[in-house]
Amino acid sequence: MDPQATNSTLDNPLREGLSLERLPSPCAMVIFGASGDLTRRKLMPALYDLALEGLLPPGFSVVGVARSEKSNDEFREEVRESIRQNARRTPIDEGLLRTFEEGISYVAGDFSSPDAYARISEELDRLDRERNTSGNRVYYLATPPSAYAEIACKLSEQGLVQPIEDESWTRLIVEKPFGNDYDSARELNQTLLQYFSEDQIYRIDHYLGKETVQNMLAFRFANGIFEPLWNRTFIDHVQITVAESIGIENRGGYYDQAGALRDMVQNHMLQLLSLVSMEPPPAFDADSVHDEKVKALRSIRPIQPEEVDYYTVRGQYSEGWVMGQPYPGYRDEARVDPASTTETYVALKLFIDNWRWAGVPFYLRTGKHLPRRVSEISIQFHKAPHPPFAENVTQSLEPNVLAIRIQPDEGITLKTTAKVPGPSMRLRSVNMGFLYGTSFLVESPDAYERLLLDCMLGDSTLFPRRDGIEASWEPITQILRGWEATGVENLPAYSAGTWGPEEADSFMERDGRQWRQP
Ligand code: BG6
């Protein structure tokens, strides 16, 4: 890419929030799985958007690697199309797109064949010579997980892992799923660590790249008023909802093996849980943040197999309507076993056994084909202990709820009680709110933009560390074992377009609580 073109966008006001000094050193990114959906839908558009904001280093280059034979030009054409369809900022800047494309090339090859790595190596040498990428490389594994170990091993055998000069660097980004239970995640960590050191490995959890998720840290630790209340003395319970209106799309083969617990809870939702529940880190650097998150994850009380039906609810969608569209039931989806017992909905009650959270339930729920897409963390405080008003006034008094909206309509609201204007003392809940859209007037970058940039900058704060991954698999694996032991009689159906199985409501009612309707 022409450095001039990149620099010409340096004064772009849209760069606010991603500070000027955050410019990575020149580098090349090798994407394994370059023909895949992730590359097309997320990675290339995110790189283009970074280029548009002047956040890519001069000479930044991408080498796409996949099995199918194609020329550089054919690959560039695919990339162009994917950017046109999926870039965050439109209309497309055609001039910038042409410049961006100059840095894109393609290597065809089987991930298991040494020849492919020899060609990658040659291509990287060329980029160092012609585009001054300085020996700095990011390897992005956007492949099926079965290929991770082999690619890491072959990169190492080909001498592509060791930085070629003292000041150059090589990093590895690994996509989810990272293992499918505790043992496999641990094994994958051990395998990757044979070839790369921990500080070279970036395990992606794209929820951590979302602005609102990061804002949780700002909200908790940059304000003086919330942290003193952030504990069992003031908080009744916490709810984390990640509702999706989409189904499994075309991912039946993967999803039927995974299910909602592995697909959403082990990673994204436990990351959210750890951010809500962690202790304040002494500094905002990767290790300090990871240390506190891991401590929180390790404090999750394991659910014993015989307790699993008490602490969890599973569900699977049957046919129904979502936002005016009819959808088939899960078992009729392509590449799904017609007798599948995979859960597309899960609700859990977890406890964090430490001084701060003893006895405070954390209710988590996520599902496919729910009525709308909404992710929210809500902190429900204890009721006022003695409201000095007449009983008929206080009967409907609701507790204070702090709702952190992750998507869409990103923002934070605090539900409080106020007097209804008029001569008598009538009370009603009102919301005090902050909305990202209206407060900052800038569109948040996509999670992948932030994470790709952080990796190039060598900042792993927003990437789970090895022990964090293992700590999040532990309670999940316990639940999976429990489910295996109890069988599937308790797999209720819910119609697509509803808020999950009825059992999920009774699960809350049993505790005298209800799900918040976001
Ligand atoms: C992915 C899951 O990790 O996250 C998908 O595999 C899910 O099943 C997606 O749809 C949700 O991400 P987002 O950013 O749309 O909430």
Side-chain angles (χ1 to χ4, degrees):
M1 191 182 311
D2 171 6
Q4 279 315 109
T6 309
N7 290 338
S8 68
T9 58
L10 280 178
D11 297 330
N12 189 333
L14 289 157
R15 297 195 52 187
E16 194 184 321
L18 291 167
S19 67
L20 284 174
E21 67 270 21
R22 289 173 59 88
L23 199 64
S25 40
C27 62
M29 182 174 289
V30 182
I31 302 181
F32 291 89
S35 312
D37 201 45
L38 181 74
T39 307
R40 196 166 49 245
R41 280 195 314 118
K42 293 288 181 187
L43 304 183
M44 287 303 181
L47 289 171
Y48 163 82
D49 279 315
L50 285 173
L52 198 59
E53 293 183 19
L55 290 166
L56 290 182
F60 176 77
S61 307
V62 176
V63 183
V65 184
R67 283 198 183 87
S68 44
E69 285 297 333
K70 67 183 84 144
S71 66
N72 282 342
D73 281 345
E74 284 165 327
F75 183 57
R76 286 178 184 153
E77 174 59 35
E78 276 177 29
V79 170
R80 206 176 305 139
E81 221 18 65
S82 69
I83 290 172
R84 292 221 168 89
Q85 283 173 17
N86 300 302
R88 179 168 59 88
R89 299 238 312 279
T90 51
I92 298 298
D93 180 334
E94 295 294 336
L96 183 94
L97 183 56
R98 274 194 297 279
T99 321
F100 178 69
E101 271 176 29
E102 286 166 17
I104 294 182
S105 53
Y106 182 79
V107 170
D110 195 288
F111 301 145
S112 60
S113 130
D115 292 354
Y117 296 84
R119 289 198 294 278
I120 294 168
S121 179
E122 275 167 29
E123 179 58 9
L124 288 170
D125 289 345
R126 180 189 75 81
L127 294 171
D128 284 347
R129 282 192 316 272
E130 295 178 12
R131 294 178 60 83
N132 300 321
T133 44
S134 313
N136 297 325
R137 289 103 173 70
V138 176
Y139 302 112
Y140 199 121
L141 305 188
T143 64
S146 52
Y148 294 168
E150 176 136 60
I151 296 174
C153 169
K154 290 282 186 314
L155 283 170
S156 166
E157 283 173 4
Q158 195 66 38
L160 289 166
V161 173
Q162 278 309 314
I164 50 178
E165 285 169 36
D166 279 353
E167 31 338 327
S168 62
W169 47 262
T170 55
R171 300 183 184 130
L172 180 75
I173 304 186
V174 191
E175 260 296 329
K176 69 170 280 237
F178 198 94
N180 55 29
D181 61 8
Y182 175 77
D183 288 340
S184 56
R186 210 174 136 78
E187 197 184 312
L188 180 55
N189 270 329
Q190 277 162 354
T191 306
L192 296 180
L193 284 161
Q194 284 173 31
Y195 311 112
F196 288 82
S197 61
E198 177 62 28
D199 62 6
Q200 290 178 297
I201 303 176
Y202 290 69
R203 303 166 187 85
I204 283 247
D205 185 315
H206 79 278
Y207 265 57
L208 294 175
K210 293 184 190 266
E211 281 292 327
T212 27
V213 173
Q214 295 158 46
N215 188 40
M216 178 95 70
L217 295 171
F219 184 76
R220 283 192 60 193
F221 305 130
N223 289 295
I225 62 168
F226 297 109
E227 208 45 32
L229 308 180
W230 216 259
N231 56 55
R232 65 191 303 271
T233 312
F234 297 95
I235 293 177
D236 176 75
H237 74 274
V238 177
Q239 292 187 21
I240 304 181
T241 295
V242 178
E244 294 190 276
S245 55
I246 56 167
I248 55 165
E249 313 234 272
N250 292 319
R251 300 191 305 152
Y254 152 75
Y255 197 89
D256 209 31
Q257 301 301 312
L261 188 71
R262 289 188 175 96
D263 185 49
M264 295 298 285
V265 182
Q266 177 272 324
N267 37 64
H268 311 323
M269 295 186 74
L270 288 191
Q271 288 299 324
L272 298 181
L273 177 110
S274 66
L275 293 174
V276 183
S277 61
M278 68 194 267
E279 295 299 316
F284 191 59
D285 59 51
D287 274 333
S288 306
V289 172
H290 291 148
D291 288 347
E292 297 308 333
K293 285 172 60 185
V294 173
K295 262 160 57 187
L297 290 168
R298 288 204 179 125
S299 310
I300 296 175
R301 186 190 303 168
I303 296 176
Q304 301 306 325
E306 60 280 11
E307 303 170 321
V308 81
D309 283 340
Y310 182 80
Y311 286 105
T312 71
V313 175
R314 287 177 273 177
Q316 190 186 71
Y317 63 81
S318 53
E319 63 181 320
W321 293 71
V322 189
M323 306 210 285
Q325 289 286 323
Y327 287 97
Y330 176 71
R331 290 177 185 178
D332 295 323
E333 300 270 18
R335 292 189 298 284
V336 166
D337 177 354
S340 171
T341 54
T342 298
E343 79 290 352
T344 61
Y345 176 97
V346 63
L348 310 174
K349 173 159 109 167
L350 298 176
F351 284 99
I352 298 184
D353 284 339
N354 62 21
W355 193 273
R356 184 189 283 259
W357 295 113
V360 178
F362 285 72
Y363 298 99
L364 277 55
R365 66 172 166 166
T366 183
K368 297 280 187 198
H369 271 335
L370 301 187
R372 39 192 289 244
R373 173 179 189 246
V374 58
S375 299
E376 186 185 89
I377 299 172
S378 64
I379 318 287
Q380 184 162 320
F381 292 88
H382 291 305
K383 284 188 174 161
H386 176 69
F389 308 108
E391 208 186 314
N392 63 342
V393 174
T394 55
Q395 254 165 10
S396 57
L397 208 59
E398 294 182 43
N400 299 120
V401 176
L402 182 75
I404 302 167
R405 177 62 76 85
I406 291 160
Q407 61 193 19
D409 307 327
E410 292 81 355
I412 296 180
T413 55
L414 177 63
K415 186 163 87 174
T416 54
T417 300
K419 179 182 173 300
V420 179
S424 57
M425 177 55 82
R426 285 199 298 130
L427 304 176
R428 213 188 74 193
S429 293
V430 290
N431 280 327
M432 297 200 284
F434 138 75
L435 272 177
Y436 259 82
T438 45
S439 297
F440 292 113
L441 301 174
V442 285
E443 201 192 331
S444 299
D446 180 77
Y448 276 93
E449 288 171 51
R450 173 64 197 261
L451 295 175
L452 291 173
L453 183 64
D454 277 8
C455 174
M456 290 185 247
L457 288 162
D459 181 351
S460 64
T461 312
L462 299 177
F463 296 81
R465 200 171 59 187
R466 171 198 181 153
D467 48 357
I469 295 276
E470 292 173 12
S472 62
W473 268 115
E474 270 193 82
I476 298 298
T477 306
Q478 285 274 112
I479 296 173
L480 290 167
R481 286 206 190 113
W483 282 352
E484 263 167 42
T486 57
V488 290
E489 301 100 72
N490 294 325
L491 181 72
Y494 62 97
S495 304
T498 62
W499 281 103
E502 282 167 14
E503 284 76 352
D505 292 333
S506 13
F507 173 79
M508 287 298 259
E509 282 156 19
R510 191 185 65 196
D511 288 359
R513 302 188 173 101
Q514 44 182 292
W515 293 111
R516 199 181 117 82
Q517 283 309 325

